[in-house]
Amino acid sequence: MQLTWLESNTWLWQLGQTRILVDPWLVGRLTFGHTPWLFAAERTLPCEMPAGVELIVLSQGLPDHCHVPTLRQCDRRIPVIGSASAAKIAQGLGFETVIALAPHDTYCWRDLTIQATKGATIGPLQQENGYLFHWGDRTLYYEPHGCHDPWLKRYGTVDVVITPLLNVRLPLLGTILNGGETALELGRWLRPQQMIGTAANGSLILRGVLPSLLSVAGSLHDLQEQFQTAGLMTQLIEPVAYRPLEVRSLGVEA
């Protein structure tokens, strides 16, 4: 299992025999609609399209997970797995194989089984996904907003979780990325060996009204102590952008 964080929500994974690009934003500016005054993000470090990608996984249909300019640069022959909203966008861009998974649906690719879970709910009608990836005797769970399906309480243990570890908040709107107590609760459900943070800014340049209002609550050190107090041996990891993590059963090597 090799996991490389490419900043924001973007990951490149090697899971068993499969090389997966997750929630890719690699080219151009990231905005939501035509409101750069509200939020705009730019990369300070160039990030080329990874070679050898065999599968694209999209957790949401929002631009920071399903970035249309980036998807236009991808080979349309690469299969795409996504939430309903993300799958619709991929189909509109002409990808030849698009699999829309509803929560708890599964899809098998070579030695890999992918099962969708309930993720973030966007408005009253748009249900997005988290995912469980299982191959051999290994399991990884991914959900980039910290919105975890209660169904996971009955799932059993996993090896690795990738999700926000700290709360990110906006005035009036409240918490927009759920870490902290939510991450601790998830740790009790799944008892992973490692939990790896995601959705951080890294070296990105953020502009607009919203970034100036964002605040992060707590610290990774304090959260690690809470895990230990709860009797959980889970190792909490803040990834370094572009540095692959080799995840083994007894730990992680950078």
Side-chain angles (χ1 to χ4, degrees):
M1 189 191 315
Q2 185 183 79
L3 311 171
T4 306
W5 179 52
L6 302 179
E7 299 192 285
S8 188
N9 298 295
T10 304
W11 287 85
L12 179 65
W13 297 340
Q14 183 75 40
L15 305 184
Q17 303 301 312
T18 306
R19 191 167 168 85
I20 306 171
L21 185 61
V22 181
D23 286 350
W25 162 44
L26 299 171
V27 302
R29 185 170 60 172
L30 172 63
T31 62
F32 293 86
H34 301 288
T35 58
W37 58 270
L38 184 64
F39 177 90
E42 296 177 1
R43 290 183 172 274
T44 60
L45 300 174
C47 188
E48 296 183 358
M49 188 68 64
V53 171
E54 299 165 283
L55 199 62
I56 296 172
V57 172
L58 306 172
S59 64
Q60 301 183 20
L62 298 176
D64 56 334
H65 303 270
C66 186
H67 188 246
V68 169
T70 297
L71 293 174
R72 286 194 178 117
Q73 298 297 316
C74 295
D75 187 337
R76 302 301 199 279
R77 295 170 295 179
I78 300 174
V80 175
I81 294 173
S83 64
S85 62
K88 183 176 179 180
I89 292 170
Q91 290 167 343
L93 292 171
F95 282 88
E96 295 176 8
T97 303
V98 179
I99 299 96
L101 292 184
H104 310 151
D105 286 350
T106 61
Y107 180 77
C108 294
W109 169 265
R110 297 179 183 168
D111 63 336
L112 186 66
T113 299
I114 302 170
Q115 184 169 21
T117 65
K118 289 182 181 179
T121 301
I122 310 299
L125 300 175
Q126 190 169 323
Q127 175 63 62
E128 305 292 10
N129 286 351
Y131 295 101
L132 288 156
F133 300 81
H134 182 79
W135 68 104
D137 61 352
R138 310 301 301 278
T139 305
L140 179 148
Y141 168 67
Y142 171 71
E143 205 295 316
H145 276 208
C147 299
H148 306 301
D149 192 337
W151 171 85
L152 290 166
K153 296 178 187 179
R154 306 187 302 274
Y155 182 77
T157 61
V158 306
D159 296 290
V160 175
V161 166
I162 297 179
T163 197
L165 297 180
L166 301 178
N167 289 322
V168 178
R169 296 171 176 164
L170 275 172
L172 301 181
L173 293 179
T175 302
I176 60 171
L177 294 179
N178 298 291
E181 287 294 329
T182 299
L184 180 59
E185 181 180 45
L186 182 68
R188 291 190 179 103
W189 293 355
L190 299 179
R191 296 190 171 269
Q193 296 176 36
Q194 292 91 21
M195 290 183 72
I196 303 172
T198 191
N201 296 325
S203 64
L204 304 177
I205 295 175
L206 305 182
R207 296 188 172 91
V209 175
L210 286 185
S212 66
L213 300 176
L214 292 172
S215 63
V216 178
S219 72
L220 202 62
H221 177 269
D222 290 345
L223 184 61
Q224 184 72 78
E225 288 189 341
Q226 292 177 46
F227 269 72
Q228 292 171 351
T229 299
L232 299 172
M233 302 303 294
T234 303
Q235 178 187 12
L236 305 185
I237 299 171
E238 184 177 356
V240 177
Y242 313 108
R243 182 182 297 176
L245 294 173
E246 293 281 354
V247 181
R248 307 181 188 281
S249 59
L250 298 178
V252 175
E253 295 181 7

